[in-house]
Amino acid sequence: MSGSNSSAPGSAASTPEPLSFAVHSLPDPRAAAQKAGRWKMLLVLALCAAPVVASYFTFYVIKPSGSAYGELITPTVDVPADLPLTDLQGQAVKAESLKGQWLLVAVQPSRCDAACERQLFVQRQLREMLGKERARVDKLWLIPDEGTPRAEVLAAVGQKGAEVTVLRVPADRLAGWLKPAQGRKLSEHFYVVDPMGRWMERAPGEPEPKKLQADLVKLLKASAGWDNPGR
């Protein structure tokens, strides 16, 4: 009797199968870093935009201290990037240069009559009425023709400390940005433009100064968290 444990003749020897390893793709650490970077960028953008959104929500929705005196423009209208502006010397001025400051805009022809002079005077007084906040508001006179105002008018609006930025713009192109109320002319209003170049309010050209001042104060207060004086 044999004590051998060998397999029976003719039977196939049992051969162990080699181990196989399933290879799974591992996450690329660079992709993870890029994803994290995108989230950080979005978070920063959200934090930057939050004060702007909050200020507009405050003014348009909550409307602190009563409703606006002027007519709020919803949605706001961005200044066209290709708006053809020139100074009185005929030099081109980029529309982008209007951004960075609140603007109180008057649209008057170069042949500035008595009504025009009154509006430019009120424009100056409104800014002065803002007190220490006036540095956050610029005065802009847009001329929709090719003429040049009288020397005495330019001297009045160019007084030191009360300067008005005077620019020419074709009337048809200006109409693509600012619009008067129905039945009115562009010259019969003030236009309020925010520091991002967005037209957002239209007010009477011969306003009750204290009421329009109150609107400007609300806007400046609501934007205090993100708007700084100067361009």
Side-chain angles (χ1 to χ4, degrees):
M1 185 172 177
S2 173
S4 172
N5 293 326
S6 61
S7 300
S11 67
S14 178
T15 305
E17 292 291 331
L19 294 176
S20 63
F21 294 90
V23 179
H24 299 282
S25 60
L26 296 175
D28 187 341
R30 291 174 299 178
Q34 290 174 352
K35 186 176 181 180
R38 284 196 295 270
W39 277 110
K40 287 181 181 178
M41 182 179 68
L42 290 173
L43 179 59
V44 170
L45 289 174
L47 291 174
C48 292
V52 180
V53 173
S55 65
Y56 272 85
F57 179 81
T58 299
F59 191 75
Y60 280 99
V61 182
I62 300 176
K63 298 181 180 179
S65 304
S67 60
Y69 169 67
E71 179 185 356
L72 298 178
I73 306 303
T74 51
T76 57
V77 184
D78 291 330
V79 58
D82 61 349
L83 189 67
L85 300 166
T86 57
D87 61 21
L88 295 181
Q89 289 71 47
Q91 297 298 311
V93 176
K94 292 182 178 181
E96 187 74 16
S97 69
L98 298 182
K99 298 181 180 181
Q101 191 85 330
W102 285 97
L103 298 177
L104 183 60
V105 184
V107 180
Q108 290 288 347
S110 57
R111 296 183 64 181
C112 189
D113 59 13
C116 164
E117 291 182 13
R118 283 197 303 273
Q119 188 180 23
L120 295 176
F121 175 76
V122 171
Q123 184 187 46
R124 180 176 67 185
Q125 294 305 105
L126 282 167
R127 183 176 182 274
E128 292 303 307
M129 290 166 68
L130 296 173
K132 65 181 182 180
E133 295 294 330
R134 64 181 177 272
R136 294 171 59 194
V137 179
D138 281 353
K139 304 188 301 297
L140 177 62
W141 174 9
L142 295 177
I143 299 177
D145 61 61
E146 293 298 318
T148 300
R150 303 189 315 275
E152 56 267 31
V153 174
L154 291 177
V157 300
Q159 293 178 7
K160 187 175 181 180
E163 298 90 347
V164 177
T165 300
V166 184
L167 298 174
R168 293 193 187 99
V169 58
D172 59 334
R173 298 296 301 277
L174 180 59
W177 181 33
L178 306 178
K179 297 184 184 300
Q182 187 172 5
R184 299 287 185 178
K185 300 176 181 178
L186 277 171
S187 60
E188 297 182 62
H189 298 287
F190 278 115
Y191 304 88
V192 180
V193 178
D194 75 11
M196 287 166 281
R198 298 183 295 203
W199 169 40
M200 51 81 61
E201 183 174 356
R202 176 174 56 207
E206 295 187 7
E208 295 184 48
K210 288 188 176 180
K211 290 186 177 181
L212 184 49
Q213 178 210 12
D215 274 5
L216 295 173
V217 168
K218 291 176 193 174
L219 287 168
L220 294 174
K221 184 177 180 180
S223 62
W226 57 271
D227 174 47
N228 297 313
R231 294 184 183 277

